[in-house]
Amino acid sequence: MQFSLTEDQLMIREAAREFLAGRADIARLRKQMATPEAHDTELWQAVAGELGWSGLALPESVGGRGLGMVALALLLEETGRCLYGGPLLASVGFAGGMLLEAPASDARDALLTRIASGEGIAALAITDDTGRPESVGVELVAGAAGPVLRGHASFVLNGNVADHFVVVARDRRAGGHGLALVSVDRGTAGLAVQTLTAMDLTRRYARLAFDAAAPSAVLAAGDAGAAAVAQGLQVAQVALAAEQLGAMQAVFELATGYTQQRVQFGRKIGSFQAIKHRLADMMVVCEAARSAVYYAACVVD
């Protein structure tokens, strides 16, 4: 079995690293963090539209490139290295990954097409104020003209700039059971979006309040809904791990570089055996994490 990256995958990684180094440096990041939305629209249009990153991993049937989870992991590792807080993780890794686990339908494929093209940003709403994925705070109930949503969802990553929401809800309709996966468009009557500022200032979160808001579509319910949520969460975990891997690697490189500059007792501290041991331990952790992330991405594919 081949676990090394292909030539095409290496080219994707190098191209992403070069682009982000020139367009998502720390100065631009700090400027973005100071804005109310913490979102660089121009940069996102370049990432999603010009480069086509939003569709790289999604199937060709919805307008994507069909390169799969490994390609997405490569991109997310590079965005993690420079702390780029754009909605690639939220829209493709979280919402897109969850949608792909739902049964095929016209509504699902139409939403995936908008995500792949970069025309629409999607965000995943799954948890209540506890932040735990098993604590679902939204209910799908029967309304006079069809199903409606009640309750709230918190910590919706990049939800402040999302055009569409993929919402996990408890199915309380007559005959319903378990979890349902539904889509809701921004601006729907009965939906209120509140921006949240978290400890990570590179991006914002949102709290969604539903007051008899009609979903655009019920994408999965019953056993299919539970399966889609369970499997979609696993895909999301792989995507998040890939981004964190990039941040971990960047910290290791910064620490290594510092040991080559700091002088103590007339010597660079990187020459001390104790420091070398610490750096070696950090490298082992990074490489172990990389092996785990890319093996998991291969399993997803």
Side-chain angles (χ1 to χ4, degrees):
M1 187 174 292
Q2 178 60 260
F3 287 106
S4 61
L5 297 176
T6 67
E7 185 176 344
D8 288 344
Q9 290 168 341
L10 290 172
M11 289 176 61
I12 291 172
R13 183 174 68 183
E14 291 306 315
R17 185 172 300 180
E18 181 179 352
F19 173 83
L20 291 169
R23 297 286 297 274
D25 57 18
I26 192 66
R28 188 161 185 163
L29 174 65
R30 286 173 175 161
K31 185 181 296 185
Q32 171 187 316
M33 289 165 55
T35 64
E37 300 295 337
H39 176 61
D40 190 329
T41 303
E42 180 185 352
L43 182 56
W44 171 247
Q45 289 174 346
V47 165
E50 296 174 22
L51 298 179
W53 287 6
S54 58
L56 196 69
L58 297 177
E60 294 181 19
S61 59
V62 295
R65 295 283 300 280
L67 298 185
M69 191 68 203
V70 172
L72 180 60
L74 288 167
L75 295 179
L76 291 173
E77 182 181 353
E78 295 308 314
T79 60
R81 284 173 62 92
C82 66
L83 300 182
Y84 170 61
L88 183 67
L89 175 64
S91 190
V92 183
F94 288 1
M98 187 72 72
L99 287 170
L100 287 174
E101 299 301 330
S105 65
D106 290 343
R108 186 204 73 159
D109 291 350
L111 183 49
L112 282 170
T113 299
R114 287 187 57 80
I115 294 173
S117 67
E119 295 177 0
I121 298 173
L124 177 64
I126 189 169
T127 183
D128 62 11
D129 294 335
T130 67
R132 298 179 177 275
E134 65 272 15
S135 299
V136 178
V138 181
E139 294 185 341
L140 182 67
V141 301
V148 295
L149 294 169
R150 297 188 183 278
H152 67 274
S154 288
F155 311 113
V156 181
L157 182 63
N158 292 120
N160 61 311
V161 295
D163 305 296
H164 312 282
F165 299 100
V166 178
V167 182
V168 177
R170 298 200 180 279
D171 195 348
R172 304 301 191 194
R173 298 172 297 173
H177 67 280
L179 298 175
L181 191 66
V182 305
S183 63
V184 183
D185 295 333
R186 192 183 194 91
T188 297
L191 168 62
V193 182
Q194 176 190 1
T195 299
L196 303 177
T197 301
M199 292 181 66
D200 179 5
L201 298 180
T202 63
R203 51 193 167 196
R204 301 286 187 264
Y205 294 78
R207 186 180 192 271
L208 311 182
F210 299 93
D211 183 10
S216 305
V218 178
L219 303 170
D223 293 339
V229 173
Q231 294 166 6
L233 275 175
Q234 292 181 5
V235 175
Q237 288 169 345
V238 177
L240 178 60
E243 186 187 66
Q244 297 304 296
L245 170 63
M248 183 192 303
Q249 182 66 35
V251 169
F252 169 63
E253 292 170 0
L254 286 170
T256 303
Y258 179 72
T259 65
Q260 303 305 312
Q261 298 174 5
R262 173 68 186 272
V263 175
Q264 191 72 34
F265 305 113
R267 296 168 55 186
K268 293 179 179 179
I269 63 174
S271 65
F272 295 125
Q273 194 71 17
I275 300 296
K276 291 180 180 180
H277 287 166
R278 296 291 295 272
L279 292 176
D281 290 343
M282 291 174 68
M283 184 183 70
V284 169
V285 171
C286 285
E287 290 305 312
R290 178 168 287 103
S291 297
V293 165
Y294 283 100
Y295 178 78
C298 289
V299 171
V300 171
D301 284 341

